[in-house]
Amino acid sequence: ELCLPRLSFPSCKRPSVDCAPLNLPVMANMYHRPNIVLILTDDLDVSIGGMIPLNKTRKLIGDAGITFPNTFVASPLCCPSRASILTGKYPHNHHVINNTLEGNCSSQSWQKTQEPATFPALLQKYGYYQTFFAGKYLNEYGNKEAGGVDHVPSGWDYWFALEKNSKYYNYTLSVNGKAQRHGQNYSEDYLTDVLANISIEFLQYKSNYRPFFMMVSTPAPHSPWTAAPQYEGQFPNVKAPRDPSFNIHGKDKHWLIRQAKTPMANSSVEFLDNAYRKRWRTLLSVDDLVEKVVKKLEVRGELANTYVIFTSDNGYHTGQFSLPLDKRQLYEFDIRVPLLVRGPNIKPNQTSPLLVANIDLGPTILDMAGYNANKTQMDGMSFLPIMIGKGNSSTWRTDVLVEYEGEGHNVSDPACPILGPGVSECFPDCVCEDSYNNTYACVRTLSQAANLQYCEFDDNEVFVEVYNLTADPFQLTNIAKTIDQEVLERMNHRLMMLQSCSGQSCRTPGVYDSRFKFQPRLMFDNLSPHRSRWRQMLK
């Protein structure tokens, strides 16, 4: 078979004793295993219209398969969320708490303890899959203190990873451990298109004797929101959605939300609208990428035996509760993400109301490949049975954990001295998106009996926010002081259990599951243990 020296693909060999200890029964089994494609976007929301410009993606994946509108991330920030996708674990178990090397993002500790147990590593080792990665990996990938771009994580045969955070031009790729620098020529360097072209070439030149797993991780719609030239004039009249939470004061919320200035200045609103349009424009190239990949699979006769998954690492907000632009908060717009899947035995035009989390992607992909995820330490669960009509929705989980470790600066921002130290991600009007004590953990519950969010902050107040999303889908009213005390106690108990869970214990029945057992004697003395526990883990 042909190889592609220009892109430094490894030599393509047919399965033999030389490259893998395969016997004939194993080889026969391999031919029937499905291929798997995971397309991961960066900062793509679903709550404020992020999927609207992705017409081809919705048609080619969602309409051809199943959509999960109730999909949540374990942490609404790039690196912790991506670590959860790769490991199938909550942040308190994979120990990536923010986007810094100190926060374990692509650190040497992560490389030694977590990368060997990611689902791609298991696919490669036990499933004999050929594995391909292209795009943004983790925010600190390529940091010289952690091996630079020479480092190729365990589990990947073909590696085309972006150094550090999302860019569209003037970036460096690690091509199987060798630096490849790109400039600002659209036809050669626009990253979303480069990823599409590399992916198509992989599909063309890969081995036909082994199943493949392909992960394509786009920069869009992350800032700096650089659109391809042909799309720069699109959506001239689109504005950020004026939903009920737009440009209003979060009066009963955590202090960080209350400090936002309301109403926002006209110039701030114009900035938001412009950013929103730019985000949509970058997504048009993602839509093209999806179309190219799906069409290539179709032309090669491989589409019918290939699962295609489309999702994001976190949501986003543009003006909700008068917060300018970011993620990191506990609200639906930041923690809810799109999830669309097509593939073998998945009937078209399905929508599932069940609660899914990004920690479930790893177990589900392993399940697709025929590997038992229960052999791993993953916290998530496979939703493959749900997609192919073999799952029992009545026994599906009813809650997930969301946890976030706030970041702040030790010194005051000279432009905003009144805020004091401890804040970060501040805008020119001195509205800040993060702080040290923006550290929280939430139980997000969704069942026939309840659609609820319960959150505790690790601050001096142990501030609590609770929302009934059936009555209040935009989370305008914090009902922590009016909800029944027994509900608060049960949710507090459940939160602490989830914060200390691992593997199977993360999948036990939630408060609104008939199998839930309330055992107050097991409750911890410390009502908000997560910050100290995470700090200790990183030492």
Side-chain angles (χ1 to χ4, degrees):
E1 294 186 15
L2 295 176
C3 296
L4 201 60
R6 183 171 62 84
L7 291 178
S8 302
F9 277 75
S11 59
C12 304
K13 294 181 180 179
R14 299 184 182 188
S16 67
V17 177
D18 293 331
C19 61
L22 298 180
N23 54 38
L24 289 176
V26 170
M27 290 177 65
N29 185 37
M30 279 193 341
Y31 292 139
H32 295 96
R33 287 182 183 172
N35 307 306
I36 306 164
V37 175
L38 172 60
I39 299 171
L40 178 65
T41 53
D42 196 355
D43 286 3
L44 175 60
D45 68 276
V46 70
S47 296
I48 60 170
M51 287 298 296
I52 294 174
L54 291 163
N55 293 316
K56 291 181 280 193
T57 299
R58 286 184 281 112
K59 178 181 178 181
L60 293 170
I61 305 179
D63 293 353
I66 187 167
T67 299
F68 291 90
N70 295 309
T71 303
F72 296 89
V73 295
S75 189
L77 188 64
C78 301
C79 205
S81 179
R82 288 162 181 265
S84 287
I85 290 171
L86 290 164
T87 63
K89 298 178 183 178
Y90 284 119
H92 68 260
N93 287 328
H94 62 57
H95 316 316
V96 178
I97 60 173
N98 57 40
N99 287 344
T100 68
L101 206 60
E102 296 73 24
N104 212 26
C105 181
S106 202
S107 67
Q108 290 184 332
S109 173
W110 155 266
Q111 294 170 13
K112 292 176 182 176
T113 64
Q114 301 299 320
E115 282 183 345
T118 60
F119 77 82
L122 297 175
L123 286 177
Q124 183 196 55
K125 185 174 182 180
Y126 298 109
Y128 304 105
Y129 273 70
Q130 49 191 324
T131 54
F132 167 94
F133 181 89
K136 175 180 171 179
Y137 179 56
L138 301 174
N139 295 56
E140 283 297 322
Y141 173 75
N143 190 309
K144 292 180 181 178
E145 294 181 28
V149 296
D150 294 348
H151 172 67
V152 176
S154 305
W156 299 103
D157 296 311
Y158 308 90
W159 181 251
F160 300 87
L162 178 67
E163 180 187 40
K164 303 233 176 147
N165 206 0
S166 285
K167 291 182 177 181
Y168 298 83
Y169 293 110
N170 299 308
Y171 55 85
T172 297
L173 290 180
S174 170
V175 179
N176 296 324
K178 303 295 182 183
Q180 183 185 86
R181 292 173 178 81
H182 285 259
Q184 50 190 17
N185 183 318
Y186 169 70
S187 62
E188 297 178 359
D189 302 313
Y190 188 70
L191 182 55
T192 307
D193 290 359
V194 168
L195 300 181
N197 294 336
I198 295 173
S199 301
I200 297 307
E201 293 192 62
F202 166 72
L203 293 175
Q204 181 66 33
Y205 294 106
K206 65 178 175 57
S207 168
N208 293 324
Y209 294 87
R210 294 167 60 194
F212 69 85
F213 169 70
M214 182 168 79
M215 182 170 178
V216 187
S217 181
T218 72
H222 196 285
S223 61
W225 317 307
T226 310
Q230 66 270 30
Y231 296 134
E232 287 176 349
Q234 296 295 308
F235 313 119
N237 301 316
V238 166
K239 294 182 178 181
R242 268 52 169 178
D243 60 31
S245 63
F246 181 82
N247 201 15
I248 67 165
H249 188 242
K251 58 183 183 303
D252 53 9
K253 294 174 167 48
H254 190 242
W255 77 269
L256 184 68
I257 310 302
R258 298 197 305 268
Q259 56 90 36
K261 294 177 173 60
T262 308
M264 294 181 288
N266 289 338
S267 59
S268 296
V269 174
E270 290 175 7
F271 174 75
L272 294 181
D273 286 339
N274 190 37
Y276 191 87
R277 284 189 290 272
K278 288 181 175 180
R279 282 169 54 82
W280 272 25
R281 290 166 183 158
T282 66
L283 287 170
L284 294 177
S285 294
V286 175
D287 217 25
D288 292 341
L289 179 152
V290 170
E291 181 182 44
K292 290 176 183 176
V293 169
V294 172
K295 295 299 184 185
K296 185 66 173 179
L297 289 167
E298 188 175 34
V299 167
R300 289 182 55 82
E302 295 177 315
L303 184 58
N305 193 40
T306 302
Y307 291 101
V308 184
I309 306 166
F310 182 90
T311 190
S312 174
D313 56 359
N314 48 255
Y316 205 69
H317 57 259
T318 53
Q320 283 64 42
F321 301 123
S322 298
L323 296 170
L325 296 165
D326 201 40
K327 45 269 185 175
R328 304 171 203 263
Q329 310 307 336
L330 58 85
Y331 308 105
E332 295 286 284
F333 41 74
D334 285 357
I335 66 173
R336 190 187 286 264
V337 293
L339 177 61
L340 292 67
V341 189
R342 69 171 293 165
N345 301 313
I346 300 177
K347 294 179 180 178
N349 295 304
Q350 292 188 79
T351 299
S352 172
L354 298 181
L355 182 65
V356 173
N358 64 347
I359 58 169
D360 299 332
L361 289 170
T364 300
I365 291 170
L366 290 176
D367 195 8
M368 290 170 173
Y371 185 83
N372 185 358
N374 290 328
K375 294 180 179 180
T376 73
Q377 298 298 311
M378 292 183 177
D379 303 330
M381 53 198 296
S382 170
F383 53 88
L384 178 61
I386 299 297
M387 294 192 287
I388 61 176
K390 295 183 178 180
N392 186 348
S393 59
S394 64
T395 57
W396 187 255
R397 70 139 77 85
T398 57
D399 61 15
V400 293
L401 175 68
V402 179
E403 47 193 354
Y404 177 69
E405 177 91 356
E407 294 181 76
H409 299 301
N410 292 326
V411 296
S412 299
D413 186 334
C416 305
I418 193 171
L419 293 174
V423 295
S424 63
E425 306 298 322
C426 298
F427 283 76
D429 57 357
C430 296
V431 174
C432 301
E433 292 274 5
D434 208 3
S435 67
Y436 277 132
N437 66 1
N438 185 38
T439 294
Y440 58 80
C442 305
V443 181
R444 182 64 177 90
T445 298
L446 184 62
S447 70
Q448 290 185 336
N451 187 0
L452 193 75
Q453 186 174 21
Y454 173 89
C455 302
E456 289 182 11
F457 283 85
D458 186 12
D459 59 10
N460 293 335
E461 300 177 83
V462 191
F463 193 84
V464 175
E465 294 190 28
V466 184
Y467 298 97
N468 176 353
L469 285 107
T470 301
D472 180 22
F474 294 95
Q475 299 170 290
L476 304 179
T477 304
N478 179 7
I479 60 173
K481 294 181 179 179
T482 59
I483 196 171
D484 186 86
Q485 185 64 30
E486 183 180 351
V487 173
L488 286 178
E489 291 175 359
R490 286 172 174 259
M491 297 306 294
N492 170 263
H493 171 69
R494 180 62 175 164
L495 177 62
M496 289 189 291
M497 196 290 294
L498 285 174
Q499 284 184 275
S500 59
C501 76
S502 178
Q504 176 60 37
S505 64
C506 297
R507 305 189 287 273
T508 53
V511 169
Y512 287 90
D513 188 311
S514 60
R515 299 166 294 171
F516 176 72
K517 295 180 180 179
F518 184 41
Q519 299 173 296
R521 68 181 183 277
L522 298 180
M523 293 173 69
F524 305 119
D525 294 331
N526 185 352
L527 292 180
S528 55
H530 45 283
R531 175 187 284 268
S532 58
R533 185 171 71 245
W534 288 7
R535 295 285 188 206
Q536 290 168 3
M537 286 176 176
L538 293 175
K539 289 181 180 178

